[in-house]
Amino acid sequence: MLIICEERGMTLITVPRGTYDIMPKQALAWQWLEKKIRQVFLSYGYGEIRTPIFEHTELFQRGIGATTDIVEKEMYTFTDKGGRSITLRPEGTAPVVRAYIEHKLYGQTPVTKLFYIGPMFRQERPQAGRFRQFHQFGVEMIGDASPVADAEVILLAHDLYHQLGLTDLEIHLNSVGCPHCRQEYKTALTAALKAAAAKLCTTCQLRLDRNPLRLLDCKNASCQEIISQVPPIQNYHCADCRHHFDQVVALLAEVDVKYKLSPKLVRGLDYYSRTVFEIINNELGAQNALCGGGRYDGLVEECGGPSVPGVGFASGIERVLTTLEQKGILADFPNHPQFYLLPLGEELTTIAFSLATQLRRAGYIVELGNGAKSLKSQLKTAHKSGAAFAVIIGEDEWQAREVTLKTMADGNQKRYSVDDLLAQLPQLVIALEKSASKEE
Ligand code: AMP
């Protein structure tokens, strides 16, 4: 449905609910964050993959699980003009796994390490920190079943946040076992909960037979009370799962990564096996998870590939940016022009245009004034733009191929021949940046 609102007697089309525009100033913070993410992921040996924004619906039905909230309620699915069912990707793991299988990456190296950054789409109820189009960055390590892989992926998320300056986040850790021991737990859980079914919320009652593990993270107080009586999943772990988890925990301790054991953490997606984790910023309110991930040993096979294990995580860019802002870490990203060119008269516009082009081609950020406006008015605009220098091009000076360079911070000005100016610009800019950083 197109949302149209009336404003000042005009009809205005607004962004769809749960979406937003990233404006130029904010985009600088996004670019900064994306650059950091890429640097850290590359340093851990991950290669970037860019998959389509939409995929065949079946990929998500198989890859995420038919009984999950995402598949049951939240997917943007439509039939295209060729009659195919298409879905805007709600998460990044299934598409990466699809690409891994399609490009037969399993035949190239024993372990494949991929990362992605991009928009995801879920029709959830929008609220603070929860959008319908949001952005995730994530990694997938496919082909390594060892606990070292789990620990490395958790460490990677931890290190990335640390490098961003987020050093007081909580890592919540659990193991959901393998399909074998989890089935035993599910049976025991269902039996215990059925006895108290009447006291469960309606959502939990519906989930009881289809996906009982999901009851563990229900926020409803009376459900929590009942669930607290049920034995933890750890009691049902088989020897292999217990050993695997013990090693993950020991490896994290070895590199001094602090975590909290969270026996009720199961995560929303069906494909997890063994290790699951979330990284939390408790100051974010209800939507406090920055990152979620874990091991998904059955997923590649489920999606039609060979039986290879995998482990990964996904983190929300919006929540990371909000956290950085909240903690005062997100600097203001200045995007001022270095030079503001002021032609004093329309007949000097072509000269100013040509000089601006020369400077831009040399890599400087340049704004061009309007020659039809007075010197005073153009200087006012130059000040507003935050430019470091104004280059005034006047009729008389130009007769001698000279211009006036005005340093905006102190108002000092000096005449230069164009050739001298171009030759001296690098030193001038460096000197100005130095004095600006001293003032800070
Ligand atoms: P998930 O794919 O559900 O495991 O989510 C992984 C991370 O993506 C979460 O920890 C959030 O940071 C982020 N995320 C998930 N859903 C949303 C959403 N609707 N809006 C904003 N961020 C989200």
Side-chain angles (χ1 to χ4, degrees):
M1 186 179 63
L2 187 66
I3 298 176
I4 296 178
C5 70
E6 296 286 327
E7 201 175 78
R8 278 183 256 110
M10 295 193 9
T11 308
L12 185 74
I13 301 175
T14 61
V15 287
R17 208 163 121 72
T19 70
Y20 57 89
D21 299 309
I22 302 169
M23 302 308 283
K25 208 165 173 343
Q26 297 163 317
L28 294 172
W30 282 71
Q31 286 161 15
W32 169 84
L33 179 58
E34 287 166 4
K35 195 170 160 198
K36 287 264 184 190
I37 293 166
R38 286 197 169 87
Q39 271 169 2
V40 176
F41 285 171
L42 290 170
S43 77
Y44 270 75
Y46 287 77
E48 181 169 359
I49 182 164
R50 301 186 191 200
T51 62
I53 299 290
F54 57 83
E55 298 268 357
H56 293 293
T57 303
E58 196 193 344
L59 172 70
F60 300 114
Q61 286 167 337
R62 273 214 252 164
I64 300 176
T67 63
T68 56
D69 282 353
I70 294 181
V71 172
E72 278 186 338
K73 300 187 271 197
E74 297 168 1
M75 295 205 302
Y76 282 96
T77 297
F78 59 96
T79 306
D80 73 3
K81 293 198 172 66
R84 289 166 288 255
S85 181
I86 294 293
T87 293
L88 301 186
R89 62 180 187 196
E91 56 95 59
T93 303
V96 170
V97 165
R98 195 258 319 127
Y100 171 84
I101 298 167
E102 200 166 337
H103 297 274
K104 298 192 173 58
L105 299 185
Y106 46 84
Q108 296 179 12
T109 46
V111 180
T112 303
K113 292 159 87 174
L114 299 168
F115 80 86
Y116 58 85
I117 306 180
M120 306 293 162
F121 306 84
R122 295 182 197 171
Q123 192 162 358
E124 296 188 88
R125 194 171 54 79
Q127 53 177 279
R130 196 201 268 168
F131 306 94
R132 290 185 169 172
Q133 175 173 332
F134 59 99
H135 299 75
Q136 284 185 334
F137 56 93
V139 301
E140 314 297 347
M141 190 200 289
I142 309 176
D144 190 341
S146 78
V148 180
D150 308 37
E152 190 190 293
V153 163
I154 297 170
L155 178 66
L156 170 52
H158 167 275
D159 277 7
L160 171 58
Y161 292 136
H162 265 244
Q163 291 201 29
L164 293 172
L166 301 176
T167 51
D168 56 353
L169 303 173
E170 277 180 14
I171 299 179
H172 291 202
L173 192 61
N174 193 22
S175 168
V176 291
C178 59
H180 175 67
C181 58
R182 192 167 51 222
Q183 192 48 49
E184 272 181 43
Y185 180 62
K186 273 187 181 175
T187 310
L189 186 65
T190 313
L193 292 172
K194 274 205 166 149
K199 292 188 201 138
L200 293 169
C201 72
T202 37
T203 314
C204 282
Q205 285 182 9
L206 286 173
R207 282 177 173 160
L208 196 49
D209 284 317
R210 306 184 63 198
N211 194 351
L213 279 182
R214 292 298 319 280
L215 271 68
L216 294 183
D217 60 11
C218 177
K219 304 278 182 286
N220 185 300
S222 79
C223 297
Q224 276 300 321
E225 170 66 29
I226 297 160
I227 290 154
S228 66
Q229 318 289 329
V230 176
I233 196 164
Q234 280 69 21
N235 294 11
Y236 290 81
H237 283 165
C238 60
D240 283 350
C241 285
R242 198 170 308 133
H243 182 63
H244 185 97
F245 193 58
D246 288 347
Q247 281 187 286
V248 173
V249 163
L251 287 161
L252 291 177
E254 180 66 30
V255 287
D256 215 17
V257 171
K258 305 270 177 297
Y259 54 82
K260 283 190 169 175
L261 293 179
S262 266
K264 301 250 160 59
L265 178 66
V266 286
R267 313 245 327 113
L269 315 184
D270 272 358
Y271 54 56
Y272 287 108
S273 51
R274 295 192 166 162
T275 314
V276 289
F277 69 99
E278 274 185 356
I279 302 187
I280 306 287
N281 166 13
N282 278 319
E283 288 155 36
L284 271 189
Q287 304 302 317
N288 62 1
L290 289 194
C291 159
R295 177 165 280 289
Y296 48 82
D297 288 348
L299 181 62
V300 180
E301 197 173 11
E302 180 65 35
C303 292
S307 170
V308 263
V311 54
F313 73 76
S315 176
I317 295 196
E318 288 83 353
R319 291 189 201 171
V320 171
L321 284 171
T322 307
T323 304
L324 290 166
E325 225 167 10
Q326 224 178 37
K327 296 186 184 292
I329 297 168
L330 205 56
D332 201 16
F333 294 93
N335 188 32
H336 307 306
Q338 290 163 301
F339 297 97
Y340 196 99
L341 268 52
L342 293 78
L344 299 185
E346 282 181 89
E347 60 290 354
L348 292 164
T349 300
T350 312
I351 288 154
F353 176 74
S354 153
L355 188 56
T357 306
Q358 248 179 300
L359 291 172
R360 285 172 179 153
R361 284 183 179 158
Y364 296 108
I365 308 168
V366 179
E367 280 292 333
L368 185 55
N370 178 351
K373 299 260 167 82
S374 69
L375 172 64
K376 195 173 159 204
S377 146
Q378 288 195 65
L379 271 178
K380 209 168 146 193
T381 318
H383 264 296
K384 255 196 179 160
S385 77
F389 297 103
V391 180
I392 303 164
I393 308 163
E395 183 69 51
D396 291 347
E397 292 117 308
W398 192 251
Q399 299 286 338
R401 281 200 40 95
E402 286 183 351
V403 293
T404 300
L405 184 79
K406 183 180 174 95
T407 310
M408 301 301 273
D410 56 15
N412 282 341
Q413 49 184 63
K414 195 175 161 192
R415 266 173 82 150
Y416 285 90
S417 77
V418 171
D419 292 341
D420 281 352
L421 179 71
L422 289 173
Q424 289 183 38
L425 276 189
Q427 293 91 310
L428 284 168
V429 171
I430 290 169
L432 193 82
E433 278 166 2
K434 264 195 193 148
S435 75
S437 67
K438 257 187 224 147
E439 275 166 28
E440 280 167 15

